[in-house]
Amino acid sequence: MPELPEVEALTAFLRENAVGSVVTRVDLAAVQAIKTFDPPLSALGGLELTGVARHGKFLDLDVSGLHLVVHLARAGWLHWRTGLPTAPPKPGKGPLALRVHLEDGNGFDLTEQGTRKGLAVHVVRSPAEVPGVARLGPDALEVDRDAFVALMAGRSGQLKGALTDQTLIAGIGNAYSDEILHAARLSPFKMADKLTDEEALRLYDAVRATLTEALERQVGQKAATMKGEKRSGLQVHARTGLPCPVCGDTVREVSFADTSLQYCPTCQTGGKPLADRRMSKLLR
Ligand SMILES: [Zn+2]
């Protein structure tokens, strides 16, 4: 799932390559992706793309005052294309969800792999009209130290859930929360309001360091021209069974909400594996 670093890299790419171009046409290939009907998608045609912004994990294209707000969900991506085909795409075929044509024959595709479709596109007059944007907490790279510590102290729940709750802090998802907790040497199941001051500051520093480093890698890779979202430099996320790069212990996995998380027992949980709650519930 694209998170803050990936979406920020796409934002930077579009600022450099697309802002200032006129949108000539927008083709909708996956009907379920569009969540609004007024203004219509066709209203964007003929207008200049004047700016690009990121709100949490949302991408916001300002098209002369109308906003095309995109949430890439789990398996969505944006592909920059030079020389787009002019014939309209066949709806419902393949991963293509939406195609934006710019002048000069360039443009980009929004695609989504897999059968669980979650990619969402909104055309609005203000990004705050998108409920997911309106609910966002402070941005993970903008929240200051005191505000972050206060947010954690006021949250009764596990750190993994707190970090990935977009209404608490915006921009962090499943992958980077695993990386942040590993960097902070904290258990994903530790309660947010039980952090010591020292732990809360360590977590804050880990948020900034992890996201900043990931962003530098993503921007360097020219995200929008990549085949798909590819992450490098991960220490624990999606590395179940592999050695922890810090201590050499085996990275483990445990289920969390509707997904799974990865962590290093030696670095994060005092060497003890976490109990899989889903499994113990089944056995009870
Ligand atoms: Zn380790």
Side-chain angles (χ1 to χ4, degrees), residues 182 236 243-251 263-268:
H182 179 252
V236 287
C244 166
V246 173
C247 72
D249 192 2
T250 303
V251 172
Y263 67 101
C264 167
T266 296
C267 291
Q268 295 175 257

Side-chain angles (χ1 to χ4, degrees), residues 1-166:
M1 180 194 263
E3 301 178 29
L4 185 156
E6 289 80 27
V7 180
E8 183 68 29
L10 292 172
T11 303
F13 182 93
L14 291 174
R15 275 197 198 117
E16 201 174 305
N17 294 278
V19 167
S21 297
V22 170
V23 174
T24 51
R25 201 176 84 215
V26 181
D27 298 329
L28 181 66
V31 179
Q32 80 280 356
I34 184 87
K35 305 302 177 192
T36 54
F37 59 90
D38 177 34
L41 261 179
S42 58
L44 301 173
L47 300 179
E48 182 185 331
L49 179 62
T50 46
V52 186
R54 178 185 61 77
H55 312 287
K57 296 188 271 187
F58 290 83
L59 186 62
D60 170 13
L61 292 99
D62 186 342
V63 187
S64 299
L66 291 179
H67 291 259
L68 181 68
V69 178
V70 178
H71 191 261
L72 293 167
R74 280 171 190 271
W77 198 244
L78 182 151
H79 302 266
W80 178 252
R81 301 198 47 189
T82 50
L84 273 176
T86 49
K90 289 200 179 73
K93 288 256 163 86
L96 182 65
L98 189 88
R99 174 168 287 163
V100 175
H101 298 263
L102 301 171
E103 56 190 335
D104 304 330
N106 296 333
F108 56 86
D109 286 346
L110 298 177
T111 62
E112 186 172 35
Q113 303 294 336
T115 50
R116 281 175 69 184
K117 299 298 185 190
L119 187 144
V121 176
H122 309 77
V123 182
V124 288
R125 292 176 182 89
S126 159
E129 290 172 40
V130 178
V133 173
R135 283 195 299 263
L136 290 174
D139 192 79
L141 275 183
E142 283 169 17
V143 65
D144 70 28
R145 191 175 291 235
D146 291 347
F148 180 85
V149 171
L151 284 174
M152 289 298 144
R155 169 80 179 209
S156 58
Q158 296 165 332
L159 284 179
K160 175 74 178 180
L163 287 177
T164 52
D165 178 355
Q166 302 304 299

Side-chain angles (χ1 to χ4, degrees), residues 1 3 160 172-180 231 234 237:
M1 180 194 263
E3 301 178 29
K160 175 74 178 180
I172 303 169
N174 193 29
Y176 291 112
S177 56
D178 283 354
E179 295 299 298
I180 288 164
R231 290 200 186 92
L234 298 182
H237 183 73

